[in-house]
Amino acid sequence: MTPKAVRYVSRSTTAAAGVMATAATSVTAAAVAASIILSPAPEASARLDGVHADLQRAVQLNQITEEQALRFESKLAGRILGEA
């Protein structure tokens, strides 16, 4: 095989591998998105537990005050539980 033919085959193979890797990444991303969309929504109590944990972490990092965390948690609890 001539050097020019070898170079062509190498480039074609590399390009094809790149296209296959991109396709695999797209398929993986689509599968993850579908699993998120199709998974059931967490129960209200689980959501509130997560909100509480996140707000406590923010208080510990001095990003918000304890009073701000309590008010925000109360506001979100009303929305999550459908009270407001």
Side-chain angles (χ1 to χ4, degrees):
M1 206 184 294
T2 66
K4 192 173 187 178
V6 170
R7 213 176 16 234
Y8 175 78
V9 170
S10 299
R11 287 183 184 165
S12 299
T13 306
T14 303
V19 168
M20 293 304 289
T22 301
T25 302
S26 297
V27 169
T28 302
V32 169
S35 71
I36 291 170
I37 291 170
L38 298 175
S39 65
E43 295 295 319
S45 62
R47 291 176 66 193
L48 289 174
D49 289 343
V51 167
H52 180 75
D54 289 344
L55 290 172
Q56 288 306 308
R57 192 167 331 138
V59 169
Q60 290 171 350
L61 295 172
N62 294 321
Q63 295 173 332
I64 60 174
T65 66
E66 185 70 34
E67 293 79 23
Q68 289 172 322
L70 290 172
R71 276 189 305 219
F72 190 64
E73 187 173 355
S74 173
K75 195 180 288 189
L76 282 179
R79 289 183 182 175
I80 291 171
L81 298 173
E83 296 170 1

Coordinates of all heavy atoms in Angstrom, one line a residue:
M1 N 0.9 -1.2 0.0 CA 0.0 0.0 0.0 C 0.9 1.2 0.0 O 1.9 1.3 0.7 CB -0.9 0.0 1.2 CG -2.2 0.7 1.0 SD -3.2 0.9 2.5 CE -3.8 -0.7 2.8
T2 N 0.5 2.2 -0.7 CA 1.3 3.4 -0.8 C 1.1 4.3 0.5 O 0.1 4.1 1.2 CB 0.8 4.3 -2.0 OG1 -0.5 4.8 -1.8 CG2 0.9 3.5 -3.3
P3 N 2.1 5.1 0.8 CA 2.0 6.0 2.0 C 0.7 6.8 1.9 O 0.1 7.1 3.0 CB 3.2 6.8 1.9 CG 4.2 6.0 1.1 CD 3.4 5.3 0.1
K4 N 0.3 7.3 0.7 CA -0.9 8.1 0.6 C -2.1 7.3 1.0 O -3.0 7.8 1.7 CB -1.0 8.6 -0.8 CG -2.0 9.7 -1.0 CD -1.9 10.3 -2.3 CE -2.8 11.5 -2.5 NZ -2.8 12.1 -3.8
A5 N -2.2 6.0 0.6 CA -3.3 5.2 0.9 C -3.3 4.9 2.4 O -4.4 4.8 3.0 CB -3.2 3.9 0.1
V6 N -2.2 4.6 3.0 CA -2.1 4.3 4.4 C -2.6 5.6 5.2 O -3.4 5.4 6.2 CB -0.7 4.0 4.8 CG1 -0.5 3.9 6.4 CG2 -0.3 2.7 4.2
R7 N -2.2 6.8 4.8 CA -2.6 8.0 5.5 C -4.2 8.1 5.4 O -4.8 8.5 6.3 CB -1.9 9.2 4.9 CG -1.7 10.3 5.8 CD -0.9 11.4 5.2 NE -0.8 11.5 3.8 CZ 0.4 11.5 3.1 NH1 1.5 11.6 3.7 NH2 0.3 11.6 1.8
Y8 N -4.7 7.8 4.2 CA -6.2 7.9 4.0 C -6.9 7.0 4.9 O -7.9 7.3 5.5 CB -6.5 7.7 2.5 CG -8.0 7.7 2.3 CD1 -8.7 8.8 2.2 CD2 -8.7 6.5 2.1 CE1 -10.1 8.8 2.0 CE2 -10.1 6.4 1.9 CZ -10.7 7.6 1.8 OH -12.1 7.6 1.7
V9 N -6.5 5.7 4.9 CA -7.1 4.7 5.8 C -7.0 5.1 7.2 O -8.0 5.0 8.0 CB -6.5 3.3 5.5 CG1 -7.0 2.3 6.5 CG2 -6.8 2.9 4.1
S10 N -5.9 5.6 7.7 CA -5.7 6.0 9.1 C -6.7 7.1 9.4 O -7.3 7.1 10.4 CB -4.3 6.6 9.3 OG -3.3 5.8 9.2
R11 N -6.7 8.1 8.6 CA -7.6 9.3 8.8 C -9.1 8.8 8.8 O -9.9 9.3 9.6 CB -7.4 10.4 7.8 CG -6.1 11.1 8.0 CD -6.0 12.2 7.0 NE -4.7 12.9 7.1 CZ -4.1 13.7 6.2 NH1 -4.8 13.9 5.1 NH2 -3.0 14.2 6.4
S12 N -9.5 8.0 7.9 CA -10.8 7.5 7.8 C -11.2 6.7 9.1 O -12.3 6.9 9.6 CB -11.0 6.6 6.6 OG -10.8 7.4 5.4
T13 N -10.3 5.9 9.5 CA -10.6 5.1 10.7 C -10.7 6.0 11.9 O -11.6 5.8 12.8 CB -9.4 4.1 10.9 OG1 -9.3 3.3 9.7 CG2 -9.7 3.1 12.1
T14 N -9.8 7.0 12.1 CA -9.9 7.9 13.2 C -11.2 8.7 13.2 O -11.8 8.9 14.2 CB -8.7 8.8 13.1 OG1 -7.5 8.1 13.1 CG2 -8.7 9.8 14.3
A15 N -11.6 9.2 12.0 CA -12.8 9.9 11.9 C -14.0 9.0 12.2 O -14.9 9.5 12.9 CB -13.0 10.5 10.5
A16 N -14.0 7.8 11.8 CA -15.1 6.9 12.1 C -15.2 6.6 13.6 O -16.3 6.6 14.2 CB -15.0 5.6 11.3
A17 N -14.0 6.5 14.2 CA -14.0 6.2 15.6 C -14.6 7.4 16.4 O -15.3 7.3 17.4 CB -12.6 5.9 16.1
G18 N -14.2 8.6 15.9 CA -14.8 9.8 16.5 C -16.3 9.9 16.4 O -17.0 10.3 17.4
V19 N -16.8 9.6 15.3 CA -18.2 9.6 15.1 C -18.9 8.6 15.9 O -19.9 8.8 16.6 CB -18.6 9.3 13.6 CG1 -20.0 9.1 13.4 CG2 -18.1 10.5 12.7
M20 N -18.3 7.4 16.1 CA -18.9 6.3 16.9 C -18.9 6.8 18.4 O -19.8 6.5 19.1 CB -18.2 5.0 16.7 CG -18.3 4.4 15.3 SD -20.1 4.2 14.9 CE -20.4 2.8 16.0
A21 N -17.8 7.4 18.8 CA -17.7 7.8 20.2 C -18.8 8.9 20.5 O -19.5 8.9 21.5 CB -16.3 8.4 20.5
T22 N -19.0 9.8 19.5 CA -20.0 10.8 19.7 C -21.4 10.2 19.7 O -22.2 10.6 20.5 CB -19.9 11.9 18.5 OG1 -18.6 12.4 18.5 CG2 -21.0 13.0 18.7
A23 N -21.6 9.2 18.9 CA -22.9 8.6 18.9 C -23.2 7.8 20.2 O -24.3 7.9 20.7 CB -23.0 7.6 17.7
A24 N -22.2 7.2 20.7 CA -22.3 6.5 22.0 C -22.6 7.4 23.1 O -23.4 7.2 24.0 CB -21.1 5.7 22.3
T25 N -21.9 8.6 23.1 CA -22.2 9.6 24.1 C -23.6 10.1 24.0 O -24.3 10.3 25.0 CB -21.2 10.8 23.9 OG1 -19.9 10.2 24.0 CG2 -21.4 11.8 25.0
S26 N -24.1 10.3 22.8 CA -25.4 10.8 22.6 C -26.5 9.8 23.1 O -27.5 10.2 23.7 CB -25.7 11.1 21.1 OG -24.9 12.2 20.7
V27 N -26.2 8.6 22.8 CA -27.1 7.5 23.3 C -27.1 7.4 24.8 O -28.2 7.3 25.4 CB -26.8 6.1 22.6 CG1 -27.5 5.0 23.3 CG2 -27.0 6.2 21.1
T28 N -26.0 7.5 25.4 CA -25.9 7.5 26.8 C -26.6 8.7 27.4 O -27.4 8.5 28.4 CB -24.4 7.5 27.3 OG1 -23.8 6.4 26.7 CG2 -24.3 7.5 28.8
A29 N -26.4 9.9 26.9 CA -27.1 11.1 27.4 C -28.6 10.9 27.3 O -29.4 11.3 28.2 CB -26.6 12.3 26.7
A30 N -29.1 10.4 26.2 CA -30.5 10.2 26.0 C -31.1 9.2 27.0 O -32.2 9.4 27.5 CB -30.8 9.7 24.5
A31 N -30.3 8.1 27.3 CA -30.8 7.1 28.2 C -30.9 7.7 29.6 O -31.9 7.5 30.3 CB -29.8 5.9 28.2
V32 N -29.9 8.5 30.0 CA -29.9 9.2 31.3 C -31.1 10.1 31.4 O -31.9 10.2 32.4 CB -28.6 9.9 31.6 CG1 -28.7 10.8 32.8 CG2 -27.5 8.9 31.8
A33 N -31.3 10.9 30.4 CA -32.4 11.9 30.3 C -33.8 11.1 30.4 O -34.7 11.6 31.2 CB -32.4 12.7 29.1
A34 N -33.9 10.1 29.7 CA -35.2 9.3 29.8 C -35.4 8.7 31.2 O -36.5 8.7 31.6 CB -35.1 8.2 28.7
S35 N -34.3 8.2 31.8 CA -34.5 7.7 33.1 C -34.9 8.7 34.1 O -35.7 8.5 35.0 CB -33.2 7.0 33.6 OG -32.2 7.9 33.9
I36 N -34.4 9.9 34.0 CA -34.8 11.0 34.9 C -36.3 11.4 34.6 O -37.1 11.6 35.5 CB -33.9 12.3 34.7 CG1 -32.5 11.9 35.2 CG2 -34.4 13.5 35.4 CD1 -31.4 12.9 34.8
I37 N -36.6 11.5 33.4 CA -38.0 12.0 33.0 C -39.0 10.9 33.4 O -40.1 11.2 33.9 CB -38.1 12.3 31.5 CG1 -37.3 13.5 31.2 CG2 -39.5 12.4 31.1 CD1 -37.1 13.8 29.7
L38 N -38.7 9.7 33.2 CA -39.6 8.6 33.5 C -39.6 8.1 34.9 O -40.5 7.3 35.3 CB -39.4 7.4 32.5 CG -39.5 7.7 31.1 CD1 -39.1 6.6 30.2 CD2 -40.9 8.2 30.7
S39 N -38.7 8.5 35.7 CA -38.6 8.1 37.1 C -39.7 8.8 37.9 O -40.0 10.0 37.6 CB -37.3 8.3 37.8 OG -37.0 9.7 37.8
P40 N -40.3 8.1 38.9 CA -41.4 8.8 39.7 C -40.8 10.0 40.5 O -39.7 9.9 40.9 CB -41.9 7.7 40.6 CG -40.8 6.7 40.6 CD -40.0 6.8 39.3
A41 N -41.6 11.0 40.7 CA -41.2 12.1 41.5 C -41.1 11.6 42.9 O -41.9 10.8 43.4 CB -42.3 13.2 41.4
P42 N -40.1 12.2 43.7 CA -40.0 11.8 45.0 C -41.1 12.2 45.9 O -41.8 13.2 45.6 CB -38.7 12.4 45.5 CG -38.4 13.5 44.5 CD -39.1 13.1 43.2
E43 N -41.4 11.5 46.9 CA -42.5 11.9 47.9 C -42.2 13.3 48.5 O -41.0 13.7 48.6 CB -42.6 10.9 49.0 CG -43.0 9.5 48.5 CD -44.4 9.5 47.9 OE1 -45.3 10.2 48.5 OE2 -44.7 8.9 46.9
A44 N -43.2 14.0 48.9 CA -43.1 15.3 49.4 C -42.1 15.3 50.6 O -41.3 16.2 50.8 CB -44.4 15.9 49.8
S45 N -42.2 14.3 51.5 CA -41.3 14.3 52.7 C -39.9 14.1 52.3 O -39.0 14.7 52.9 CB -41.8 13.1 53.6 OG -41.6 11.9 53.0
A46 N -39.6 13.3 51.3 CA -38.2 13.2 50.8 C -37.7 14.5 50.2 O -36.5 14.8 50.4 CB -38.1 12.0 49.8
R47 N -38.6 15.2 49.5 CA -38.2 16.4 48.9 C -37.9 17.4 50.0 O -36.9 18.2 50.0 CB -39.2 17.0 48.0 CG -39.4 16.2 46.7 CD -40.5 16.6 45.9 NE -40.3 18.0 45.3 CZ -41.2 18.7 44.8 NH1 -42.4 18.3 44.6 NH2 -40.9 19.9 44.3
L48 N -38.7 17.5 51.0 CA -38.5 18.4 52.1 C -37.3 18.1 52.9 O -36.6 19.0 53.4 CB -39.7 18.4 53.1 CG -41.0 19.1 52.5 CD1 -42.2 18.9 53.4 CD2 -40.7 20.5 52.2
D49 N -37.0 16.8 53.1 CA -35.7 16.4 53.8 C -34.5 16.9 53.0 O -33.5 17.4 53.6 CB -35.6 14.9 53.9 CG -36.6 14.3 54.9 OD1 -37.2 15.1 55.7 OD2 -36.9 13.1 54.9
G50 N -34.6 16.8 51.7 CA -33.5 17.3 50.8 C -33.3 18.8 51.0 O -32.2 19.3 51.0
V51 N -34.4 19.5 50.9 CA -34.4 21.0 51.1 C -33.8 21.3 52.4 O -32.9 22.2 52.5 CB -35.8 21.6 51.0 CG1 -35.9 23.0 51.4 CG2 -36.3 21.4 49.5
H52 N -34.2 20.7 53.5 CA -33.7 20.9 54.8 C -32.2 20.7 54.9 O -31.5 21.6 55.4 CB -34.4 20.1 55.9 CG -34.0 20.3 57.2 ND1 -34.3 21.4 58.0 CD2 -33.1 19.6 58.0 CE1 -33.7 21.3 59.2 NE2 -33.0 20.2 59.2
A53 N -31.7 19.6 54.3 CA -30.3 19.3 54.3 C -29.5 20.4 53.6 O -28.5 20.8 54.0 CB -30.1 17.9 53.8
D54 N -30.0 20.8 52.4 CA -29.3 21.8 51.6 C -29.3 23.1 52.3 O -28.3 23.8 52.3 CB -30.0 22.0 50.3 CG -29.8 20.8 49.3 OD1 -28.9 20.0 49.6 OD2 -30.6 20.7 48.3
L55 N -30.4 23.5 53.0 CA -30.4 24.8 53.7 C -29.5 24.7 54.9 O -28.8 25.7 55.2 CB -31.8 25.1 54.1 CG -32.7 25.5 52.9 CD1 -34.2 25.7 53.4 CD2 -32.2 26.8 52.3
Q56 N -29.4 23.6 55.6 CA -28.5 23.5 56.8 C -27.1 23.6 56.3 O -26.2 24.2 57.0 CB -28.8 22.2 57.5 CG -30.1 22.2 58.3 CD -30.2 23.4 59.2 OE1 -29.2 23.7 60.0 NE2 -31.3 24.1 59.1
R57 N -26.8 23.0 55.2 CA -25.4 23.1 54.6 C -25.1 24.6 54.3 O -24.0 25.1 54.6 CB -25.3 22.3 53.4 CG -23.9 22.1 52.9 CD -23.8 21.0 51.9 NE -24.8 20.0 52.1 CZ -25.6 19.4 51.2 NH1 -25.4 19.7 49.9 NH2 -26.6 18.6 51.5
A58 N -26.1 25.3 53.7 CA -25.8 26.7 53.4 C -25.6 27.5 54.7 O -24.8 28.5 54.7 CB -27.0 27.3 52.6
V59 N -26.3 27.2 55.7 CA -26.2 27.9 57.0 C -24.8 27.6 57.6 O -24.1 28.6 58.0 CB -27.2 27.5 58.1 CG1 -26.9 28.0 59.4 CG2 -28.6 28.0 57.6
Q60 N -24.3 26.4 57.5 CA -23.0 26.0 58.0 C -21.9 26.7 57.2 O -20.8 27.1 57.8 CB -22.8 24.5 57.9 CG -23.6 23.8 58.9 CD -23.6 22.3 58.7 OE1 -23.1 21.8 57.7 NE2 -24.1 21.5 59.6
L61 N -22.1 27.0 56.0 CA -21.1 27.7 55.1 C -21.3 29.2 55.2 O -20.6 29.9 54.5 CB -21.3 27.2 53.7 CG -20.9 25.7 53.4 CD1 -21.3 25.3 52.0 CD2 -19.5 25.5 53.7
N62 N -22.2 29.6 56.1 CA -22.4 31.1 56.3 C -22.9 31.8 55.0 O -22.6 32.9 54.7 CB -21.2 31.8 56.8 CG -20.9 31.3 58.2 OD1 -21.8 31.1 59.0 ND2 -19.6 31.2 58.5
Q63 N -23.6 31.0 54.2 CA -24.2 31.6 52.9 C -25.5 32.3 53.2 O -25.9 33.2 52.6 CB -24.4 30.5 51.9 CG -23.0 30.0 51.4 CD -23.2 28.8 50.5 OE1 -24.2 28.1 50.5 NE2 -22.2 28.6 49.6
I64 N -26.2 31.8 54.2 CA -27.5 32.3 54.7 C -27.6 32.2 56.2 O -26.8 31.4 56.8 CB -28.7 31.6 54.0 CG1 -28.8 30.1 54.4 CG2 -28.8 31.9 52.5 CD1 -30.0 29.4 53.9
T65 N -28.5 33.0 56.8 CA -28.7 32.9 58.2 C -29.7 31.8 58.5 O -30.4 31.3 57.7 CB -29.2 34.2 58.8 OG1 -30.5 34.4 58.3 CG2 -28.3 35.4 58.5
E66 N -29.7 31.4 59.8 CA -30.7 30.4 60.3 C -32.1 30.8 60.0 O -33.0 30.1 59.6 CB -30.4 30.0 61.7 CG -31.3 28.9 62.3 CD -30.9 27.5 61.7 OE1 -29.8 27.3 61.5 OE2 -31.9 26.7 61.5
E67 N -32.3 32.1 60.3 CA -33.7 32.7 60.1 C -34.1 32.6 58.6 O -35.2 32.3 58.3 CB -33.8 34.1 60.6 CG -33.6 34.2 62.1 CD -32.1 34.1 62.6 OE1 -31.2 34.4 61.7 OE2 -31.9 33.8 63.7
Q68 N -33.2 33.0 57.7 CA -33.5 32.9 56.3 C -33.8 31.5 55.9 O -34.7 31.2 55.1 CB -32.3 33.4 55.5 CG -32.1 34.9 55.6 CD -30.8 35.3 54.9 OE1 -29.8 34.7 55.0 NE2 -30.9 36.5 54.3
A69 N -33.0 30.5 56.4 CA -33.3 29.1 56.1 C -34.6 28.7 56.5 O -35.4 28.0 55.8 CB -32.2 28.2 56.7
L70 N -35.0 29.0 57.8 CA -36.3 28.6 58.3 C -37.5 29.2 57.5 O -38.4 28.6 57.1 CB -36.5 29.1 59.8 CG -35.6 28.3 60.7 CD1 -35.6 28.9 62.1 CD2 -36.0 26.8 60.8
R71 N -37.3 30.5 57.1 CA -38.4 31.1 56.3 C -38.5 30.5 54.9 O -39.6 30.2 54.4 CB -38.1 32.6 56.1 CG -38.6 33.5 57.3 CD -38.5 34.9 57.0 NE -37.1 35.2 56.6 CZ -36.4 36.2 56.9 NH1 -36.9 37.2 57.5 NH2 -35.1 36.3 56.6
F72 N -37.4 30.3 54.3 CA -37.4 29.7 53.0 C -37.9 28.3 53.0 O -38.7 27.9 52.1 CB -36.0 29.7 52.4 CG -35.9 29.4 50.9 CD1 -36.6 30.2 50.0 CD2 -35.3 28.2 50.5 CE1 -36.6 29.8 48.6 CE2 -35.3 27.9 49.1 CZ -35.9 28.7 48.2
E73 N -37.5 27.5 54.0 CA -38.0 26.1 54.1 C -39.5 26.1 54.3 O -40.2 25.3 53.7 CB -37.3 25.4 55.3 CG -37.6 23.9 55.3 CD -36.8 23.2 56.4 OE1 -35.9 23.8 57.0 OE2 -37.1 22.0 56.6
S74 N -40.0 27.0 55.1 CA -41.4 27.1 55.4 C -42.2 27.5 54.1 O -43.2 26.9 53.8 CB -41.7 28.2 56.4 OG -43.0 28.4 56.6
K75 N -41.6 28.4 53.3 CA -42.3 28.8 52.1 C -42.3 27.6 51.1 O -43.3 27.4 50.4 CB -41.5 30.0 51.5 CG -42.2 30.7 50.4 CD -41.4 31.9 49.8 CE -41.3 33.0 50.8 NZ -40.7 34.2 50.3
L76 N -41.2 26.9 51.0 CA -41.1 25.8 50.1 C -42.0 24.6 50.5 O -42.6 24.0 49.7 CB -39.7 25.3 49.9 CG -38.8 26.1 49.0 CD1 -37.4 25.5 48.9 CD2 -39.4 26.2 47.6
A77 N -42.1 24.4 51.8 CA -42.9 23.4 52.4 C -44.4 23.6 52.0 O -45.1 22.7 51.6 CB -42.8 23.3 53.9
G78 N -44.8 24.9 52.0 CA -46.2 25.2 51.6 C -46.4 24.9 50.1 O -47.5 24.4 49.8
R79 N -45.4 25.2 49.3 CA -45.6 24.9 47.9 C -45.5 23.4 47.6 O -46.3 22.9 46.8 CB -44.5 25.6 47.1 CG -44.7 27.1 47.1 CD -43.6 27.8 46.3 NE -43.8 29.2 46.3 CZ -43.0 30.1 45.7 NH1 -41.9 29.7 45.1 NH2 -43.2 31.4 45.8
I80 N -44.6 22.7 48.2 CA -44.5 21.3 47.9 C -45.7 20.5 48.4 O -46.2 19.6 47.7 CB -43.2 20.8 48.6 CG1 -41.9 21.3 47.9 CG2 -43.1 19.2 48.6 CD1 -40.6 21.0 48.5
L81 N -46.2 20.9 49.6 CA -47.4 20.2 50.1 C -48.7 20.8 49.5 O -49.7 20.3 49.9 CB -47.4 20.3 51.6 CG -46.1 19.7 52.3 CD1 -46.1 20.0 53.8 CD2 -46.1 18.2 52.1
G82 N -48.6 21.8 48.7 CA -49.8 22.3 48.1 C -50.6 23.2 49.0 O -51.8 23.4 48.7
E83 N -50.0 23.8 50.0 CA -50.8 24.7 50.9 C -50.8 26.1 50.5 O -51.5 26.9 51.0 CB -50.2 24.6 52.3 CG -50.3 23.2 52.8 CD -49.5 23.0 54.1 OE1 -48.8 23.9 54.6 OE2 -49.5 21.8 54.6
A84 N -50.0 26.5 49.5 CA -50.0 27.9 49.1 C -49.9 28.0 47.6 O -49.4 27.2 46.9 CB -48.8 28.6 49.7

